[in-house]
């Protein structure tokens, strides 16, 4: 009988295999979630030397607590929660500011900062330059804003999934992402002439 395809294994299959002592199954959990964990640690933690330690700490916690996973969410969402809380604990210990305190303005409308370009080499090059500018400005955001924007736009998680990972209300997640976009737009427009964009 052939070995099951790793892509067909469900969260339940993987957890059960790890709890039986299958190290390869834990390797698959890491493989399936390492992008999410890397994205969060990279966006929340500024010190490159600490990022690797924190990522290792995340997976150590996941391994130790896997028997308590109740399947109320996707395994990747739970791993994301562990990563977020680990990064948050690090930031609190270092007394670093997650985000500036702004007034509570819920349910603000959303907008897109940059329209997608679909034609021509020149437009593609301009698009790449704009992407580089945008990424540079995202990296200047406070850790929580940077993380939320990355989870939403780069990891393509839903507001609900982000809310589950961060334990923030979904409305707050939407609001913070809106604020982060507004800060990005304001920063980009103040630093670059419109004709450069």
């Amino acid at each position: 009988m052939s070995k099951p395809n790793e892509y067909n294994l469900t969260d339940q299959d993987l957890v059960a295999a790890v709890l039986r002592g299958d190290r390869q199954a834990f390797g698959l959990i890491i493989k399936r979630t390492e992008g999410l964990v890397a994205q969060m640690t990279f966006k929340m933690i500024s010190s490159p030397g600490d990022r690797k330690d924190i990522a290792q700490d995340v997976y150590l916690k996941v391994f130790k607590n896997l028997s308590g996973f109740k399947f109320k969410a996707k395994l990747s969402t739970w791993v994301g929660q562990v990563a977020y809380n680990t990064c948050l604990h690090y930031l609190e210990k270092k007394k670093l500011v997650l985000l500036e305190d702004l007034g509570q303005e819920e349910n603000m409308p959303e907008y897109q900062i940059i329209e997608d370009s679909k034609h021509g080499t020149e437009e593609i090059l301009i698009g790449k330059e704009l992407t580089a500018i945008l990424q540079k400005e995202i990296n200047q955001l406070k850790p929580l804003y940077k993380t939320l924007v990355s989870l939403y736009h780069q990891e393509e998680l839903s507001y609900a999934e982000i809310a589950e990972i961060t334990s923030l209300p979904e409305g707050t997640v939407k609001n913070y992402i809106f604020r982060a976009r507004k800060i990005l737009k304001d920063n980009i427009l103040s630093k670059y002439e419109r004709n450069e964009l």
Side-chain angles (χ1 to χ4, degrees), residues 38-106:
Q39 191 73 257
M40 293 182 84
T41 55
F42 187 81
K43 297 302 180 188
M44 291 184 79
I45 309 301
S46 59
S47 167
D50 291 340
R51 289 178 189 150
K52 187 175 180 182
D53 292 341
I54 289 169
Q56 288 175 345
D57 193 27
V58 167
Y59 285 113
L60 185 60
K61 288 177 181 177
V62 166
F63 186 78
K64 284 183 177 178
N65 296 297
L66 201 56
S67 61
F69 178 58
K70 303 293 185 212
F71 300 98
K72 292 180 180 174
K74 292 191 301 187
L75 182 59
S76 60
T77 302
W78 180 72
V79 173
Q81 284 176 322
V82 173
Y84 176 79
N85 289 329
T86 303
C87 291
L88 196 60
H89 179 71
Y90 167 87
L91 292 172
E92 288 168 351
K93 207 164 86 174
K94 296 280 187 183
K95 297 181 175 21
L96 298 172
V97 178
L98 270 180
L99 52 83
E100 59 275 8
D101 187 25
L102 301 171
Q104 292 290 23
E105 303 163 32
E106 294 294 328

Side-chain angles (χ1 to χ4, degrees), residues 123-189:
E123 288 176 337
I124 291 169
L125 289 174
I126 291 169
K128 285 182 179 178
E129 288 174 21
L130 290 176
T131 300
I133 290 169
L134 184 58
Q135 193 57 56
K136 180 181 174 196
E137 292 304 319
I138 287 172
N139 289 334
Q140 302 302 315
L141 292 172
K142 296 288 183 188
L144 184 57
Y145 285 161
K146 192 175 5 177
T147 301
L148 295 177
V149 166
S150 298
L151 291 177
Y152 187 75
H153 289 289
Q154 293 171 315
E155 291 297 315
E156 298 181 354
L157 298 179
S158 68
Y159 291 125
E161 289 171 314
I162 296 170
E164 202 166 337
I165 286 171
T166 60
S167 299
L168 293 170
E170 195 171 330
T172 302
V173 169
K174 289 179 184 177
N175 187 25
Y176 284 175
I177 290 173
F178 171 81
R179 289 179 184 178
R181 288 175 176 156
K182 182 168 183 347
I183 291 167
L184 284 171
K185 181 182 178 188
D186 292 347
N187 288 349
I188 288 170
L189 291 178

Side-chain angles (χ1 to χ4, degrees), residues 28-39 59 62 75-77 79-80 155:
L28 280 177
I29 292 174
I30 293 172
K31 184 177 176 183
R32 289 182 180 183
T33 60
E34 66 188 348
L36 175 63
V37 171
Q39 191 73 257
Y59 285 113
V62 166
L75 182 59
S76 60
T77 302
V79 173
E155 291 297 315

